Amino acid sequence: MEGFVVYWVIVLLLLVIGIIQLIIKSVKNQPLKPALRLIIASVIMLVIGAGACAIILSKLSISH
C-alpha cells in the first residue's frame, strides 16, 4: 500500500516541479524543453498509474 502512496507523491512532485520550472524559465526567456519533459513524464506516469488502479479496482469488484 505504501508503494502506491509513494508513486502518487512522485507523480505530484514531478508535475509541480515541471510547472514551476516552466513558469520560471518562460519569465527568464530560457529554453522550456527540460520543464516540458518533466510535465510530459508526470502526465504519462499519471495515465499509467490511473490505468493500473482501474484494473486493480475492477479485479476487486469482479471477485465475489
Side-chain angles (χ1 to χ4, degrees), residues 32-50:
L32 303 177
K33 196 171 186 178
L36 292 175
R37 283 185 181 168
L38 275 178
I39 293 172
I40 291 170
S42 65
V43 169
I44 290 171
M45 289 176 68
L46 178 74
V47 170
I48 291 171

